[in-house]
Amino acid sequence: MRNLRFRSAATAATTALVAALALTACGQTDTASADTKPDAKTTSTATSTPKDDSTSKPDEATDKPQDSSGQNAETASSNSNSGGKGAGSDTGKSSSGSGSAKSGARTTCTGGNTKVTVTNVTRPINHLLVTATNTGKGTCDAYYAPLLGFDDAQAVTQINEDSKPQAVVTLAPGESAYASIALGGDGSPDIAAYKLSVHFAGRANEGSVGSPANLTLPKGTMISDTTSVSYWQSTMADALTW
């Protein structure tokens, strides 16, 4: 009986040991399986992070400064510069066009584009002053000296060559040229004169050009055989020195 009980006890112990070993082996197998083959679904969920577009790629439009209208400042500046360039270009052309416009062609002064007068002067004595004012729209040149004819004289009045200026007198619209008439010349004036024709010389100085100015002399004008006239001068003072 003892032997049977001992064997039964031994058998039970053996069975329990085998079962324990079997359980241990199963636990190791499950653990190894978990270590070597992790749950793909669990791992993927743990490592995947939702992509935040607003964080990784910020909106470039909202990242740039904007003007008060909400438009990107950079774009507004570009548009403004483009418009300014066009306006500047138009303005430059307009300015250039108006600046190059000619008020009138340059020509020779004649009785047709000037107003001519003859007046008495107190100094020097026995002198008259001839004034030709440009009434045209363009510049004119008063060449040489006025070609004078008193009354019905067949020849022009002699010219004082000493009065020749250094340059041709050029008149803009409204400007005047001056010439003095020395009535006595080298002698005393003793011939009464009433009319005066003023002709203008051309650039080549080969006679008169254009229409003359026909004037009435101041009352009591007396001339002589040696009466002379100066070249055209740019000022009254220069003219009256001769």
Side-chain angles (χ1 to χ4, degrees), residues 114-139:
T114 62
K115 179 181 179 180
V116 183
T117 61
V118 58
T119 56
N120 272 319
V121 293
T122 57
R123 289 286 186 274
I125 61 172
N126 295 327
H127 275 68
L128 297 177
L129 179 69
V130 179
T131 303
T133 303
N134 184 356
T135 57
K137 294 183 178 180
T139 300

Side-chain angles (χ1 to χ4, degrees), residues 65-115:
Q66 296 182 345
D67 59 15
S68 59
S69 63
Q71 184 181 13
N72 291 343
E74 182 178 339
T75 303
S77 175
S78 175
N79 293 340
S80 175
N81 291 339
S82 176
K85 184 177 181 180
S89 177
D90 292 342
T91 303
K93 290 179 180 179
S94 177
S95 176
S96 176
S98 60
S100 62
K102 295 182 179 179
S103 59
R106 184 166 178 164
T107 185
T108 301
C109 298
T110 67
N113 57 18
T114 62
K115 179 181 179 180

